[in-house]
Amino acid sequence: MILRNSNGLSHAVVALLAGNAAFDVLLATFELRFLLADAATDFFDPAVFGTLDLNVAYGFAYMVYVATGIVFLVWFYRLRKNAEVWAGDLQGRKPGWAIAGWLVPFVNLWMPRGIAADIWRASRWQPYAADEARELTLLNAWWTFWVSSMVVGGIATQLYKRAHTAEAYITASSWSFAGYVLDIAAAVLAILFVRRLTSMQHAKATGMIPATQ
């Protein structure tokens, strides 16, 4: 089996994740402005933020999100294939699940984390050694924030759909703001995880660590 270099892909993933975080900051700021506004004295067009049309911002944010997902899946699949070379017997799922696991509803809330942990173990110097204390802290922190942002963001979307009063919009906006904050934290942690795991595989590949055939 052939090892696949993922350095270039990792740079693209990191850049796109940073773009997602930037849009999250912008949209979270809009939600915060709405929450802090005094309806009696403050008025602003909910579709405009300064000179920015929010419909355009949401459109760009969605495109960056989709691009990030596609490039991330390619990166993740490539690292999973490398893990097969070093410690295929430690991989609990077939390589195809490195992509499919993210796309199946509910399954995507737990399966990719397990695949990532298997890849991590295969990518370290001693794949078959026991996990060190807090070794998977970065992975677990990223996953916790990512799942939380998905759940909270989903709740916010449903609340917005059902909102018909000022109080209901405030509640939905509060949940949306919390979702953006969680997503920003998840993006930062994802950047650290991508950089760390890619670095581990690069060090192992260039360090001439024997791979199983």
Side-chain angles (χ1 to χ4, degrees):
M1 298 181 69
I2 301 174
L3 291 172
R4 295 163 171 81
N5 188 296
S6 301
N7 287 340
L9 270 176
S10 72
H11 296 324
V13 173
V14 166
L16 287 166
L17 285 169
N20 274 276
F23 275 113
D24 284 340
V25 170
L26 172 65
L27 298 175
T29 301
F30 168 73
E31 297 289 2
L32 185 61
R33 183 184 69 155
F34 174 75
L35 291 171
L36 296 178
D38 184 343
T41 60
D42 296 338
F43 175 80
F44 55 86
D45 185 345
V48 177
F49 185 75
T51 60
L52 176 66
D53 185 329
L54 284 175
N55 291 321
V56 174
Y58 281 118
F60 275 111
Y62 180 74
M63 288 190 292
V64 172
Y65 178 79
V66 171
T68 303
I70 293 172
V71 179
F72 181 91
L73 286 178
V74 175
W75 171 83
F76 196 66
Y77 178 78
R78 183 168 293 185
L79 266 66
R80 171 60 184 83
K81 293 292 288 184
N82 287 345
E84 191 79 15
V85 176
W86 287 312
D89 55 332
L90 291 182
Q91 308 307 301
R93 304 283 177 178
K94 296 294 184 181
W97 281 107
I99 294 178
W102 292 92
L103 305 178
V104 180
F106 299 108
V107 170
N108 60 5
L109 297 178
W110 58 270
M111 183 182 289
R113 185 267 169 202
I115 296 173
D118 290 341
I119 295 172
W120 181 284
R121 295 183 179 104
S123 303
R124 63 194 180 190
W125 293 114
Q126 297 179 343
Y128 298 95
D131 294 345
E132 296 181 1
R134 296 183 294 277
E135 180 180 349
L136 299 178
T137 297
L138 178 57
L139 168 60
N140 292 333
W142 162 50
W143 196 253
T144 299
F145 276 99
W146 184 77
V147 171
S148 298
S149 71
M150 292 286 289
V151 173
V152 173
I155 293 173
T157 298
Q158 294 304 313
L159 289 173
Y160 266 123
K161 289 180 179 179
R162 300 172 185 174
H164 297 290
T165 65
E167 291 77 8
Y169 276 108
I170 290 173
T171 299
S173 184
S174 298
W175 278 88
S176 181
F177 176 75
Y180 285 129
V181 171
L182 289 169
D183 201 51
I184 292 167
V188 172
L189 291 166
I191 288 172
L192 296 176
F193 177 76
V194 168
R195 288 172 57 88
R196 176 59 178 152
L197 190 54
T198 303
S199 176
M200 288 168 63
Q201 288 211 348
H202 179 72
K204 190 164 186 174
T206 57
M208 299 300 181
I209 303 299
T212 56
Q213 300 298 323

